[in-house]
């Protein structure tokens, strides 16, 4: 569960919040401890200095005019002032009497009236109050000055801003780490996709070992790159093989055509040259026809018309159609074809049987033997074609279904063929949701087993 990218993102977010809160708490305490004392000392010094300035204003202008002077000067709004007369009673309006952040005992008031200076921050560092004696017209007064609520709130706001700033910085660092964790693989995949678009397929993303969604995506990307590389190799080989297969008969046709143009060619040679030109032309025709069939089978637009028909009868007709070839080599046949109904595309499957039977005849020596049988099972049927030919090596029995692959190159120089017949067979059988395999015989020949379901549907390429 924790390997999921979604869960990791949620957990990382929760961890970022938790780390942000804890770091904000401790860093704020650290900042307060290092800067708070200096800030408090500065406020205390300002309070004493400004308190004496206010004291001088009261002495100079008196009680009636001092308030007006304070409102117009630089000290306006910075402090709250309480004035007590000689009897210890507060002078001012009722709202002024209720205002203030602190309360004063009668003992404190009388001590100031007696000429002492009161500093409340010496008793409590967080309370900024100072009391100064003041005389006017022979009367004694006690002048108490405290920081205004705005200045106290500004200090709290400063601490709050500091905490938010620390939280923002820590959160930004955590997000940067998370972004690198998430974005770096995506940027790597983007770069790899751009390389693939340019035709570079030798790509392997290192994030494929991760167990989350990005790891699975990188793994799929690596597989896609590998398959694209294989497809590119196959494409290049295909083009090379097509060029070679076409070039060979064209060279023969061109050469013998030039030979025919020469004077004095014997009739026997002329007929031989024409025969070769005809054979090479037919070879080109078969090659182009097979290429067109493969191209059509590779698309989903190839016609597929399944119907119920007799498979045994189709196989007999395929053998009869090849009679001139196997008769010329005096081949014996062993047919075991019980009545079998199957559903499939009759024309396509006929191409399968013609190609397989043609191969068996082509590579079975004179006087050899070919057996063809049908094996019926519950859900599928097997067509087994076995010969006493030259056989196919074990390591090449799978490769022969590749396009243009020829198991015995020296043999194929003697036999006409393009290496596309078995590729067509494989394609048609797979489209019928079947399978085809090759096996060796104890006598050195080859056995081909084609498995088909009784009821088949077209399979998309």
């Amino acid at each position: 569960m924790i390997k999921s990218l979604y869960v990791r993102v949620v957990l990382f977010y929760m961890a970022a919040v938790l780390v942000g809160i804890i770091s904000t708490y401790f860093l704020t305490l650290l900042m307060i401890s290092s800067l708070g004392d200096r800030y408090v000392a500065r406020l205390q010094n300002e309070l004493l200095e400004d308190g004496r300035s206010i004291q001088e204003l009261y002495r100079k202008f008196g009680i009636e005019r001092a308030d007006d002077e304070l409102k117009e000067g630089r000290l306006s709004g910075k402090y709250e002032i309480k004035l007590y007369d000689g009897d210890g009673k507060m002078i001012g309006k009722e709202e002024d009497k209720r205002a203030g952040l602190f309360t004063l005992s009668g003992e404190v008031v009388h001590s100031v009236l007696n000429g002492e200076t009161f500093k409340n921050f010496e008793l409590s560092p967080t309370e900024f109050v100072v009391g100064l004696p003041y005389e006017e017209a022979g009367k004694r007064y006690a002048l108490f000055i405290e920081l205004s609520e705005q200045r106290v709130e500004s200090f709290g706001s400063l601490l709050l801003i500091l905490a938010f700033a620390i939280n923002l910085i820590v959160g930004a660092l955590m997000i940067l780490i998370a972004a690198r964790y998430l974005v770096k693989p995506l940027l790597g995949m983007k770069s790899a996709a751009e390389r693939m678009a340019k035709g570079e397929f030798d790509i392997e993303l290192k994030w494929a070992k991760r167990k989350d969604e990005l790891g699975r995506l990188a793994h799929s990307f690596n597989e896609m790159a590998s398959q694209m590389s294989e497809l590119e190799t196959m494409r290049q080989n295909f083009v090379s093989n097509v060029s070679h297969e076409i070039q060979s008969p064209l060279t023969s046709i061109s050469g013998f055509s030039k030979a025919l143009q020469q004077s004095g060619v014997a009739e026997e040679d002329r007929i031989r040259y024409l025969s070769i030109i005809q054979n090479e032309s037919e070879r080109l025709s078969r090659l182009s026809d097979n290429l067109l069939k493969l191209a059509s089978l590779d698309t989903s637009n190839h016609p597929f018309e399944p119907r119920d028909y007799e498979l045994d009868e189709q196989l007999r007709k395929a053998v009869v159609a090849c009679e001139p070839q196997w008769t010329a080599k005096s081949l014996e046949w062993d047919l075991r074809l019980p009545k079998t109904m199957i559903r499939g595309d009759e024309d396509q499957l006929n191409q399968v049987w013609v190609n397989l039977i043609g191969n068996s005849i082509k590579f079975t020596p004179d006087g050899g033997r070919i057996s063809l049988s049908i094996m019926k099972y519950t859900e599928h049927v097997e067509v087994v074609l076995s010969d006493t030919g030259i056989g196919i090596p074990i390591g090449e029995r799978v490769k022969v279904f590749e396009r243009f692959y020829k198991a015995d190159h020296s043999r194929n120089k003697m036999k006409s063929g393009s290496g596309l017949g078995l590729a067509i067979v494989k394609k048609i059988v797979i489209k019928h949701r079947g399978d085809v395999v090759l096996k060796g015989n104890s006598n050195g020949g080859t056995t081909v087993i084609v498995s088909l379901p009784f009821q088949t549907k077209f399979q998309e390429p």
Side-chain angles (χ1 to χ4, degrees):
M1 182 65 178
I2 198 172
K3 294 179 180 179
S4 169
L5 182 62
Y6 174 79
V7 175
R8 288 188 178 185
V9 170
V10 173
L11 292 178
F12 193 90
Y13 173 77
M14 295 175 63
V17 172
L18 183 61
V19 171
I21 293 174
I22 295 175
S23 60
T24 299
Y25 175 75
F26 286 103
L27 289 176
T28 303
L29 288 181
L30 180 63
M31 295 292 289
I32 291 175
S33 63
S34 61
L35 300 177
D37 292 342
R38 285 181 288 176
Y39 185 79
V40 169
R42 184 169 66 84
L43 288 179
Q44 291 173 353
N45 291 333
E46 287 184 4
L47 179 60
L48 282 174
E49 293 176 1
D50 292 341
R52 292 189 178 94
S53 299
I54 294 172
Q55 184 185 36
E56 291 299 322
L57 284 175
Y58 271 84
R59 285 174 178 172
K60 182 177 180 180
F61 296 101
I63 297 175
E64 298 297 332
R65 293 178 55 192
D67 290 340
D68 295 334
E69 293 294 331
L70 285 172
K71 291 179 181 179
E72 296 177 0
R74 65 176 182 84
L75 301 178
S76 175
K78 294 177 66 176
Y79 302 99
E80 293 184 3
I81 300 172
K82 292 182 179 181
L83 187 62
Y84 290 83
D85 60 18
D87 297 329
K89 295 181 180 180
M90 185 185 298
I91 301 173
K93 300 176 182 178
E94 289 298 322
E95 56 269 20
D96 293 336
K97 294 179 181 181
R98 292 193 299 269
L101 299 176
F102 65 98
T103 57
L104 298 171
S105 65
E107 181 181 354
V108 171
V109 173
H110 284 91
S111 67
V112 175
L113 288 172
N114 291 329
E116 298 180 6
T117 298
F118 173 76
K119 300 176 183 178
N120 196 40
F121 51 76
E122 293 180 348
L123 304 176
S124 176
T126 59
E127 295 184 9
F128 301 96
V129 183
V130 64
L132 300 173
Y134 158 64
E135 290 186 8
E136 182 181 346
K139 295 182 180 180
R140 293 180 299 174
Y141 296 92
L143 184 64
F144 289 91
I145 304 165
E146 66 173 335
L147 288 177
S148 65
E149 292 184 5
Q150 290 80 2
R151 296 203 68 183
V152 175
E153 290 175 355
S154 67
F155 180 65
S157 299
L158 180 62
L159 294 179
L160 186 59
I161 292 173
L162 179 63
F164 277 134
I166 294 173
N167 200 336
L168 178 62
I169 294 172
V170 174
L173 291 175
M174 297 290 289
I175 293 301
L176 286 175
I177 296 173
R180 180 177 177 82
Y181 177 80
L182 296 175
V183 174
K184 188 176 181 180
L186 297 178
L187 292 177
M189 294 179 196
K190 174 180 175 294
S191 177
E194 292 174 349
R195 289 173 57 192
M196 289 184 62
K198 296 178 181 179
E200 300 179 26
F201 303 110
D202 186 16
I203 297 172
E204 184 175 359
L205 298 176
K206 62 182 178 180
W207 301 284
K209 296 181 180 180
R210 288 173 49 159
K211 303 301 181 181
D212 55 12
E213 290 83 352
L214 287 177
R216 292 195 290 272
L217 178 60
H219 179 72
S220 299
F221 200 99
N222 287 343
E223 289 187 345
M224 179 181 67
S226 177
Q227 293 176 3
M228 291 292 289
S229 179
E230 292 178 1
L231 287 174
E232 178 64 15
T233 302
M234 290 176 60
R235 185 189 68 82
Q236 294 176 359
N237 291 338
F238 180 80
V239 172
S240 176
N241 289 327
V242 169
S243 300
H244 178 269
E245 292 294 334
I246 291 178
Q247 187 63 34
S248 179
L250 286 178
T251 300
S252 297
I253 293 174
S254 176
F256 287 108
S257 297
K258 291 179 181 179
L260 287 173
Q261 294 176 6
Q262 297 177 0
S263 59
V265 178
E267 182 67 18
E268 181 180 352
D269 291 337
R270 187 182 67 83
I271 295 176
R272 183 168 62 85
Y273 294 165
L274 289 174
S275 176
I276 292 174
I277 292 174
Q278 179 181 359
N279 291 336
E280 294 298 320
S281 299
E282 292 175 353
R283 180 182 171 191
L284 274 177
S285 177
R286 288 194 300 271
L287 176 63
S288 61
D289 183 58
N290 287 336
L291 286 173
L292 289 174
K293 286 180 181 178
L294 278 174
S296 179
L297 290 170
D298 284 336
T299 67
S300 59
N301 297 323
H302 188 80
F304 185 78
E305 301 175 355
R307 69 179 186 86
D308 295 330
Y309 70 94
E310 296 179 354
L311 176 61
D312 57 302
E313 186 64 25
Q314 183 185 46
L315 291 173
R316 290 189 184 92
K317 291 181 180 179
V319 173
V320 172
C322 298
E323 183 177 0
Q325 289 83 14
W326 55 263
T327 300
K329 300 180 71 172
S330 302
L331 301 180
E332 295 184 8
W333 281 88
D334 179 14
L335 301 181
R336 300 178 184 179
L337 305 174
K339 187 175 181 61
T340 304
M341 294 294 296
I342 191 173
R343 184 173 182 81
D345 189 307
E346 187 173 3
D347 290 337
Q348 290 188 22
L349 289 177
N350 186 67
Q351 181 71 46
V352 171
W353 315 133
V354 170
N355 285 1
L356 292 179
I357 292 173
N359 280 347
S360 291
I361 295 173
K362 185 186 302 182
F363 300 114
T364 298
D366 293 352
R369 182 181 182 85
I370 301 176
S371 65
L372 179 63
S373 60
I374 295 177
M375 307 291 292
K376 294 195 290 185
Y377 298 92
T378 305
E379 297 181 354
H380 72 282
V381 59
E382 289 184 355
V383 177
V384 182
L385 179 64
S386 182
D387 60 47
T388 58
I390 61 178
I392 301 175
I394 296 177
E396 298 184 350
R397 289 174 188 168
V398 177
K399 296 180 181 179
V400 294
F401 293 105
E402 298 176 4
R403 302 177 186 191
F404 295 107
Y405 186 84
K406 299 177 181 180
D408 187 344
H409 298 280
S410 61
R411 177 194 71 184
N412 280 283
K413 292 179 181 178
M414 305 291 297
K415 308 292 183 180
S416 61
S418 61
L420 295 176
L422 290 180
I424 294 175
V425 168
K426 184 76 171 182
K427 198 73 177 179
I428 293 175
V429 172
I430 290 178
K431 281 182 175 290
H432 282 76
R433 298 186 182 275
D435 191 21
V436 55
V437 294
L438 297 179
K439 294 183 178 181
N441 297 334
S442 58
N443 58 5
T446 302
T447 296
V448 184
I449 302 176
V450 179
S451 300
L452 294 171
F454 282 108
Q455 299 292 328
T456 184
K457 295 182 179 179
F458 177 71
Q459 176 169 308
E460 296 292 340

